């Protein structure tokens, strides 16, 4: 049975991690957005960085927000998760800018407002290289990285690849705190991921995120982000979006960073919502495997012991995105650590 996949496909999407979305039978009406999230309002001016990669002309959407008030001369780069975008950092951008930081929030290739090419070898090393090229073009030589979910895996890889350019590393409920394939989660082919992604609906996304990300709770402000993801997936570029999403899931599953946490040398902060149960492939894992993966109340403590200069801050009862669930509490903890570990410039 052949896969209905077009040979074209310019464009992209990268964000946190959505291990197994339950697809609801009914679909709530949601807006439709273009293949590069055209029509969706970003909280700050959206710019585009054009560059060459793997023989293709690509572009990354990004926000570059100056410090509000007295600038401290430091920059923070925000790395979104699989089912998120640079835009989902809106409250964090404001908090960091108000505290004097320049904030860069890119959409990775394959995600949101960025290109989604028909053919691309997705690796965390490639995405780190893309981001480093963006920062170089913006004149940023050193920065603090803040990565959420899949963005936590990317931020870890970036810090390992460019350690001299990373002053501090902060990881918010990063996925990759365990190696799912080594623990017995079955492999999905890219074609299987693609067929699964074609079926995404707003109701399915909302139900999955409510149960897995927010411990069964929901706030009205979360609906904007469901509409963002659902609108991208049901818009005119839905096959491009689904195909790139499938390639990205394969990257996440097959390229663990778990074994290299011990090599991180910069001050590292783990910000962990303890009720998070995110685990790639948990929906198809055997019961005995599913029962032992995705326990962030345990994973945060375990990985904190692996990272030499780590600090662990837990948010009891919070889910996969504490920066969105309780922004004030989250940013208080983040800014306190950033100030405490402020590198000598």
């Amino acid at each position: 049975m052949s896969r209905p996949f077009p040979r074209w496909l310019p464009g992209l999407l990268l964000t946190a991690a959505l291990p197994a979305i339950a697809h609801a039978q009914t679909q709530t009406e949601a807006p439709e957005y273009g293949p590069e999230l055209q029509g969706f309002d970003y909280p700050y001016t959206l710019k585009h960085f054009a560059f060459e990669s793997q023989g293709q002309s690509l572009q990354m959407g990004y926000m570059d927000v100056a410090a509000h008030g007295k600038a401290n001369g430091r920059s923070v780069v925000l790395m979104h998760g699989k089912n998120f975008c640079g835009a989902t950092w809106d409250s964090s951008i404001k908090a960091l800018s108000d505290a004097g930081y320049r904030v860069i929030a890119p959409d990775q290739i394959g995600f949101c407002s960025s290109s989604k090419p028909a053919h691309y070898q997705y690796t965390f090393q490639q995405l780190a290289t893309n981001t480093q090229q963006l920062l170089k073009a913006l004149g940023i030589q050193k920065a603090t990285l803040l990565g959420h979910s899949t963005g936590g895996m990317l931020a870890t890889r970036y810090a390992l690849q460019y350690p001299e350019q990373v002053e501090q590393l902060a990881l918010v409920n990063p996925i990759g705190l365990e190696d799912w394939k080594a623990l017995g989660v079955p492999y999905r082919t890219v074609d299987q991921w693609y067929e699964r992604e074609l079926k995404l609906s707003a109701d399915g996304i909302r139900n999955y995120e409510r149960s897995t990300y927010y411990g069964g709770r929901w706030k009205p402000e979360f609906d904007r982000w469901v509409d963002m993801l659902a609108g991208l997936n049901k818009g005119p570029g839905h096959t491009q979006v689904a195909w790139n999403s499938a390639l990205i899931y394969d990257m996440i599953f097959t390229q663990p960073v778990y074994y290299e946490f011990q090599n991180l040398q910069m001050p590292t902060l783990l910000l962990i919502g303890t009720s998070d149960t995110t685990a790639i492939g948990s929906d198809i894992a055997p019961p005995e495997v599913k029962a032992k993966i995705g326990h962030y109340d345990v994973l945060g403590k375990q990985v904190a012991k692996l990272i030499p200069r780590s600090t662990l801050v837990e948010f009891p009862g919070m889910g996969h995105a504490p920066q969105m669930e309780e922004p004030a509490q989250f940013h208080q903890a983040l800014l306190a650590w950033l100030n405490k570990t402020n590198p000598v410039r």
Side-chain angles (χ1 to χ4, degrees):
M1 185 174 177
S2 62
R3 165 172 54 77
F5 171 62
R7 291 174 179 256
W8 38 277
L9 267 171
L12 290 186
L13 196 227
L14 197 192
T15 354
L18 183 54
I21 291 185
H23 303 293
Q25 296 298 317
T26 60
Q27 182 168 341
T28 301
E29 274 306 309
E32 293 185 11
Y33 300 118
E36 295 178 0
L37 209 52
Q38 294 92 336
F40 181 83
D41 291 329
Y42 272 63
Y44 298 90
T45 301
L46 181 65
K47 303 177 181 179
H48 294 88
F49 171 60
F51 65 105
E52 296 291 319
S53 177
Q54 300 184 19
Q56 304 176 73
S57 296
L58 303 175
Q59 63 85 23
M60 290 176 68
Y62 70 97
M63 292 173 285
D64 182 358
V65 181
H68 183 266
K70 185 178 180 180
N72 60 21
R74 300 171 63 197
S75 299
V76 179
V77 180
L78 308 181
M79 297 181 172
H80 60 80
K82 171 66 181 66
N83 298 301
F84 301 80
C85 295
T88 53
W89 285 112
D90 60 346
S91 64
S92 296
I93 294 173
K94 184 180 187 305
L96 288 163
S97 175
D98 286 349
Y101 293 89
R102 177 183 181 182
V103 186
I104 314 299
D107 285 335
Q108 296 294 330
I109 293 300
F111 293 82
C112 310
S113 66
S114 295
S115 299
K116 299 172 182 65
H119 306 286
Y120 202 66
Q121 183 177 356
Y122 277 102
T123 67
F124 284 113
Q125 288 88 340
Q126 178 68 71
L127 297 177
T129 299
N130 297 346
T131 306
Q132 196 271 345
Q133 289 184 49
L134 168 64
L135 297 184
K136 184 177 180 180
L138 295 176
I140 298 174
Q141 298 179 338
K142 289 189 176 184
T144 290
L145 304 185
L146 176 60
H148 171 232
S149 190
T150 296
M153 292 185 78
L154 174 58
T156 299
R157 178 56 60 202
Y158 191 108
L160 291 166
Q161 195 163 323
Y162 303 106
E164 71 287 350
Q165 298 177 25
V166 179
E167 294 178 325
Q168 300 157 298
L169 174 64
L171 307 174
V172 188
N173 281 76
I175 60 168
L177 299 183
E178 55 192 343
D179 182 354
W180 309 286
K181 58 183 174 55
L183 294 171
V185 175
Y187 176 72
R188 264 191 179 106
T189 66
V190 172
D191 290 326
Q192 288 171 329
W193 278 116
Y194 176 67
E195 293 298 333
R196 174 182 175 275
E197 291 302 282
L198 286 174
K199 300 173 184 176
L200 288 185
S201 70
D203 286 342
I205 293 168
R206 184 178 295 103
N207 292 338
Y208 168 78
E209 293 188 353
R210 179 189 291 114
S211 63
T212 305
Y213 286 3
Y214 303 114
R217 299 177 298 277
W218 194 258
K219 293 182 177 181
E221 53 263 38
F222 298 158
D223 283 320
R224 168 171 162 77
W225 311 122
V226 171
D227 289 345
M228 176 191 71
L229 186 59
L232 183 66
N233 280 275
K234 68 181 284 194
H238 69 282
T239 52
Q240 301 171 240
V241 172
W243 180 247
N244 277 264
S245 183
L247 294 175
I248 291 165
Y249 270 125
D250 189 73
M251 172 187 70
I252 294 168
F253 188 79
T254 61
Q255 299 177 31
V257 296
Y258 173 77
Y259 306 103
E260 297 169 80
F261 284 126
Q262 62 187 0
N263 298 327
L264 292 169
Q265 297 304 314
M266 63 288 299
T268 301
L269 174 65
L270 287 164
L271 295 149
I272 303 294
T274 62
S275 292
D276 189 6
T277 58
T278 303
I280 298 292
S282 62
D283 58 321
I284 58 173
E288 65 276 12
V289 173
K290 184 174 183 177
K292 66 182 181 181
I293 59 177
H295 297 288
Y296 276 76
D297 55 336
V298 175
L299 292 172
K301 296 180 179 67
Q302 290 178 344
V303 172
K305 294 178 181 178
L306 299 177
I307 300 173
R309 301 173 64 187
S310 70
T311 299
L312 173 65
V313 173
E314 294 183 316
F315 300 100
M318 290 194 207
H320 189 62
Q323 79 278 19
M324 298 161 69
E325 193 171 357
E326 296 293 343
Q329 185 178 343
F330 173 86
H331 293 123
Q332 182 180 17
L334 172 64
L335 290 169
W337 179 82
L338 290 176
N339 292 331
K340 181 180 179 181
T341 60
N342 184 0
V344 177
R345 299 185 65 84

